[in-house]
Amino acid sequence: DMATSKPKTVIVGGGIGGCTAAIALHRAGADVWIYESASQLLEIGAGINVQAVAIGVLIDLGIPLERFNDPAQGDGILTSKVEYYSTDGVFIADEAVGLAAGAENPQMSVHRAKFHNTLIAECRRLLGEERVILNSAFVGMETVGDQTTVHFKTNTTGEPAPSVTCDFVLGCDGLKSRVRAALLGEVLPRYTGRTIYRGLCHLDKMHGDGNTVALCGDETGNFICYPISESKRRDGHYHCNWGFNATRPEPGGVESWVSVVTLDQIQDELAAMDGNTFGGFTPLQMAQRTEKIIGWALFDRDPLDTFDFGCTTLLGDAAHPLLPYGSQGATQAIMDAEAIGMCYQDAMEAGTGIRGCVKAYSEMRCEVSGKVVIANRNMGSTAVLREVNQKCKDMTRAEKEAYCKENGGKLAEEVIQTYRKAMPKSVRPVRKVKPAE
Ligand SMILES: Cc1cc2nc3c(=O)[nH]c(=O)nc-3n(C[C@H](O)[C@H](O)[C@H](O)COP(=O)(O)OP(=O)(O)OC[C@H]3O[C@@H](n4cnc5c(N)ncnc54)[C@H](O)[C@@H]3O)c2cc1C
């Protein structure tokens, strides 16, 4: 039986990174099993932006765009533009993104759960239902030679679950990765001094063409909102995902990293942004129309020197947690997944095995993803808000408007486009290029 002679791959964590890696590895011929700690895949999380380069990876992996965009399926928005405003509502600059920027594929603003569901469904279809195993939390592993035995517990009961012996372990278990802890020891991520408050609301008017991301604020507090439902957009409505990134002291224990909060915790800071309206609504009015506001304390880790741990590696947030500037979290996880699939196929063809695959993957992705971690510490493209705030500190509104009118284009080039151009490229074209005749 061919299947049993293939190296067995265990993916720990079936998030966006783990699912995409499973699809890429399956396409590369691997024998893949996903172990996910959640007992059910709940509709959690709010909106995320997925960059054009990552949508290109998914399409290349055989998932048609309609699955993400069709109103009856992923219902995602084909994002065309990002706009930047000061705290008091002065327009600074905008940037075309995705197809509007001439990319081969669209950038997408999506509901995280719908996007994730599309990937999970594709995993189940390709791998088979029985290879997507829920309610199984990684608790530890031992490697002897080229074989690793992985231990799990049943999440809902805490009881030990059967262990699995395999040839390749891929830790895709997110910010608080247990695989990472098993490899590198127990090191808690560092609090960044920032917390992001997020919510979803329905508005009966669109902002602009209904495909636009808008940001306002400065380095101490900034607000982002964007539409995440194509079906609502077609009705002229705005299913709005918003986030307010605020300066906050360190929260108590690990359990308070994510918590439901009340509006009064952010009300005054949002009111200071009343000069901004998107689809006719101020940031505060959006928050007032939001049923549930969730605060996420933001944590950071230093980039790793290597992703090469022999027959084990890390991917996505487990490898490189990213601060939410410039919309790179899901994108970089998807690009890791693209690389692991390609490295697996190359290694099998070259006969260098799992160790060869992991080494090549580390070389392809460790340094470049580390650069995104560092760039995002400096606010990513959102740094343009800080630039304007600092330059215009003592100006009247009229002076600020004149300043932004004169310098907006230059700032867009120097801050926003410099960041965008520094983002990792897909590794795929390297392979696609045909040798010259
Ligand atoms: C519930 C949730 C909501 C989110 N909401 C947003 C959002 O609204 N906006 C945004 O920009 N980003 C959000 N993110 C983060 C974003 O999805 C990630 O940054 C990005 O997709 C990279 O994903 P990842 O697959 O590396 O990690 P994650 O998305 O964190 O996925 C990790 C997966 O591993 C599983 N896992 C964890 N520990 C174990 C274990 N011990 N054993 C087995 N499995 C384990 C988790 O249940 C999860 O499914 C959210 C993440 C999660 C988990």
Side-chain angles (χ1 to χ4, degrees):
D1 179 3
M2 273 299 288
T4 52
S5 65
K6 275 185 194 174
K8 177 165 178 160
T9 299
V10 165
I11 293 184
V12 178
I16 290 169
C19 285
T20 310
I23 296 164
L25 284 165
H26 174 86
R27 296 240 170 241
D31 173 29
V32 185
W33 300 70
I34 300 177
Y35 290 81
E36 162 60 46
S37 63
S39 60
Q40 279 172 286
L41 295 163
L42 301 169
E43 296 276 315
I44 36 182
I48 55 172
N49 260 278
V50 185
Q51 302 290 324
V53 65
I55 295 294
V57 170
L58 295 170
I59 291 173
D60 221 52
L61 288 173
I63 310 177
L65 180 62
E66 302 78 68
R67 297 252 198 103
F68 302 113
N69 170 233
D70 183 89
Q73 301 183 58
D75 199 28
I77 293 276
L78 306 181
T79 314
S80 65
K81 193 162 69 157
V82 183
E83 298 174 342
Y84 299 83
Y85 298 85
S86 69
T87 304
D88 52 352
V90 174
F91 173 76
I92 299 168
D94 59 17
E95 57 169 328
V97 298
L99 297 174
E104 236 178 277
N105 294 291
Q107 175 171 329
M108 297 202 67
S109 303
V110 298
H111 192 294
R112 183 187 174 280
K114 286 187 178 161
F115 186 77
H116 185 211
N117 285 344
T118 302
L119 298 177
I120 282 273
E122 186 69 356
C123 285
R124 290 193 162 125
R125 190 179 75 79
L126 293 174
L127 274 50
E129 297 275 340
E130 71 287 359
R131 285 172 189 235
V132 181
I133 301 163
L134 303 182
N135 204 12
S136 294
F138 172 99
V139 289
M141 62 184 171
E142 296 117 33
T143 302
V144 178
D146 287 342
Q147 296 261 294
T148 302
T149 302
V150 189
H151 306 297
F152 297 97
K153 69 173 182 192
T154 303
N155 201 18
T156 44
T157 63
E159 296 293 317
S163 299
V164 176
T165 298
C166 66
D167 307 282
F168 184 19
V169 179
L170 197 54
C172 308
D173 48 343
L175 175 67
K176 294 180 233 166
S177 172
R178 302 311 304 156
V179 177
R180 182 173 173 134
L183 291 168
L184 295 168
E186 199 72 59
V187 185
L188 278 182
R190 193 171 48 234
Y191 182 60
T192 57
R194 312 197 63 85
T195 292
I196 189 163
Y197 299 91
R198 314 186 56 123
L200 290 172
C201 61
H202 284 278
L203 305 174
D204 58 13
K205 283 191 289 293
M206 305 192 307
H207 174 57
D209 59 2
N211 295 318
T212 296
V213 178
L215 284 135
C216 63
D218 58 32
E219 65 276 29
T220 53
N222 49 78
F223 186 87
I224 183 170
C225 58
Y226 51 86
I228 57 166
S229 168
E230 174 64 11
S231 55
K232 293 288 184 309
R233 190 189 74 85
R234 289 184 190 179
D235 291 339
H237 290 191
Y238 185 173
H239 188 200
C240 172
N241 172 80
W242 61 266
F244 175 55
N245 186 324
T247 307
R248 290 289 183 275
E250 177 147 17
V254 170
E255 60 289 342
S256 58
W257 287 9
V258 179
S259 60
V260 178
V261 304
T262 50
L263 181 59
D264 59 285
Q265 295 187 29
I266 53 173
Q267 184 150 3
D268 294 347
E269 289 153 287
L270 293 186
M273 297 178 173
D274 274 351
N276 287 282
T277 55
F278 306 114
F281 297 89
T282 64
L284 180 56
Q285 287 170 333
M286 290 178 185
Q288 285 165 339
R289 283 160 177 74
T290 299
E291 241 171 75
K292 191 162 139 194
I293 302 173
I294 297 178
W296 303 65
L298 296 175
F299 288 83
D300 195 20
R301 292 184 190 275
D302 288 330
L304 292 173
D305 296 331
T306 183
F307 294 164
D308 183 355
F309 304 98
C311 301
T312 304
T313 191
L314 300 170
L315 183 149
D317 284 4
H320 47 65
L322 289 163
L323 294 180
Y325 293 113
S327 314
Q328 293 294 332
T331 296
Q332 294 308 319
I334 290 166
M335 293 180 67
D336 289 343
E338 171 188 50
I340 201 79
M342 190 169 295
C343 293
Y344 182 92
Q345 194 174 342
D346 286 349
M348 292 307 129
E349 280 166 20
T352 56
I354 298 301
R355 288 179 190 274
C357 162
V358 168
K359 184 169 184 290
Y361 164 70
S362 178
E363 279 165 12
M364 219 176 251
R365 289 296 301 166
C366 183
E367 194 183 336
V368 291
S369 61
K371 285 186 178 156
V372 186
V373 172
I374 301 298
N376 279 22
R377 280 184 185 164
N378 189 33
M379 291 182 75
S381 56
T382 315
V384 75
L385 302 181
R386 178 184 62 215
E387 294 298 308
V388 167
N389 186 46
Q390 290 177 354
K391 291 267 164 39
C392 303
K393 262 208 155 62
D394 305 314
M395 290 186 190
T396 64
R397 190 188 163 96
E399 286 167 342
K400 194 188 282 189
E401 276 168 2
Y403 174 86
C404 289
K405 202 164 177 194
E406 195 183 324
N407 296 287
K410 199 173 110 223
L411 286 170
E413 202 48 52
E414 284 172 4
V415 182
I416 302 169
Q417 293 313 321
T418 301
Y419 171 78
R420 297 285 180 221
K421 283 178 193 144
M423 290 298 105
K425 306 285 177 290
S426 168
V427 288
R428 178 172 40 119
V430 179
R431 281 278 295 263
K432 275 197 168 167
V433 170
K434 292 206 183 85
E437 304 277 308

